[in-house]
Amino acid sequence: MRSVPPLLRSGEFDDTITPVKGRKTMYQYILFDLDGTLTDSREGITKSVQYALDKMGIHEPELKPLERFIGPPLYDEFRRSYGFDDAQAKQAIAFYRERFGVVGWKENMLYNGIPELLKALTDAGKTLSTASSKPAFFIDKIVKYFNIDQYFTVVSGATLDGTIGTKAQVTQQALDRLRVQDLSQAVLVGDRLHDVEGAKQCGIDCIGVTFGFGDREELEDAGAKHVVDRVEELLPLLL
């Protein structure tokens, strides 16, 4: 079995990463969104948003409407959905993390077939990274919790202080850390229009998945290169 490079952190690069010789591949570098793409995180996120809103004096009894928080940066969604100013949005995020940091990040599960997909891609010589608007601190905990950290050369996510947080920023961060020179060799896999838009801003393709929190129309309208309905459909596109 092919050995997997260790995780890289900010400012670190792996000079040993090279495409597999003798094989023509469409994509060498595959970036994955986390929530709604690798894991079903709705319980932990929506309950933590509900908790934060309660602390802000807003009662939201139903969790389903709070699924709109899955995908975009929390700061943006708190401001868009509730008209929070800068200080209020930052306070809401702090409350959110009170719960998410203790229990919310574990209220989560891998989609069926994800470990097998990541292993197959790694065995085929692909280079994998995350590219999520979730803080890298939590991404690191989650991929280790599910024992899929071994497949990622880079863990790219938001910073806790918010200086890096948009999908375009975390995607570009991943591309930079991987030292991708030919953008045609890179692709982002994600479930929301934010993934497609962020990938396009960075000059790479996006493959949309409908088993997460976005639908086919949303992904196609945003300009996804391909849209698939099942995890199993990703492998032939990525290989």
Side-chain angles (χ1 to χ4, degrees), residues 68-84:
R68 64 182 179 272
F69 279 84
I70 305 172
L74 290 173
Y75 178 88
D76 294 344
E77 197 58 45
F78 276 123
R79 297 199 68 173
R80 180 167 44 245
S81 293
Y82 296 96
F84 288 173

Side-chain angles (χ1 to χ4, degrees), residues 111-118 231-232:
Y111 288 113
N112 289 336
I114 289 297
E116 294 82 0
L117 171 67
L118 299 178
V231 171
E232 293 76 15

Side-chain angles (χ1 to χ4, degrees), residues 43 58 92 217 229 236:
E43 180 181 0
I58 299 172
E217 182 179 9
D229 300 314

Side-chain angles (χ1 to χ4, degrees), residues 24-130:
K24 292 182 179 179
T25 57
M26 183 173 181
Y27 300 117
Q28 173 61 30
Y29 304 96
I30 304 170
L31 284 54
F32 285 95
D33 173 50
L34 183 65
D35 299 321
T37 301
L38 298 178
T39 72
D40 183 344
S41 53
R42 76 185 70 212
E43 180 181 0
I45 291 176
T46 57
K47 286 183 176 180
S48 297
V49 170
Q50 185 183 58
Y51 171 88
L53 291 172
D54 280 342
K55 299 273 279 190
M56 297 291 291
I58 299 172
H59 183 55
E60 288 284 7
E62 300 296 328
L63 294 177
K64 181 68 175 178
L66 300 182
E67 290 181 9
R68 64 182 179 272
F69 279 84
I70 305 172
L74 290 173
Y75 178 88
D76 294 344
E77 197 58 45
F78 276 123
R79 297 199 68 173
R80 180 167 44 245
S81 293
Y82 296 96
F84 288 173
D85 60 24
D86 176 72
Q88 290 173 318
K90 289 177 179 176
Q91 181 61 73
I93 291 172
F95 287 145
Y96 171 93
R97 289 176 180 164
E98 282 182 0
R99 185 185 188 281
F100 189 84
V102 176
V103 65
W105 69 275
K106 293 182 181 179
E107 295 170 327
N108 202 354
M109 58 182 162
L110 285 176
Y111 288 113
N112 289 336
I114 289 297
E116 294 82 0
L117 171 67
L118 299 178
K119 182 180 185 300
L121 293 172
T122 302
D123 288 348
K126 303 296 185 176
T127 304
L128 310 186
S129 172
T130 64

Side-chain angles (χ1 to χ4, degrees), residues 163-174:
T163 54
I164 295 176
T166 69
K167 181 58 66 167
Q169 288 173 329
V170 298
T171 300
Q172 189 61 55
Q173 179 176 245

Side-chain angles (χ1 to χ4, degrees), residues 115-156:
E116 294 82 0
L117 171 67
L118 299 178
K119 182 180 185 300
L121 293 172
T122 302
D123 288 348
K126 303 296 185 176
T127 304
L128 310 186
S129 172
T130 64
S132 168
S133 296
K134 186 184 294 298
F137 172 79
F138 290 121
I139 299 173
D140 208 16
K141 291 179 68 171
I142 291 167
V143 296
K144 288 177 180 175
Y145 182 72
F146 288 118
N147 196 32
I148 58 172
D149 56 302
Q150 60 188 297
Y151 301 117
F152 294 103
T153 300
V154 165
V155 168
S156 179

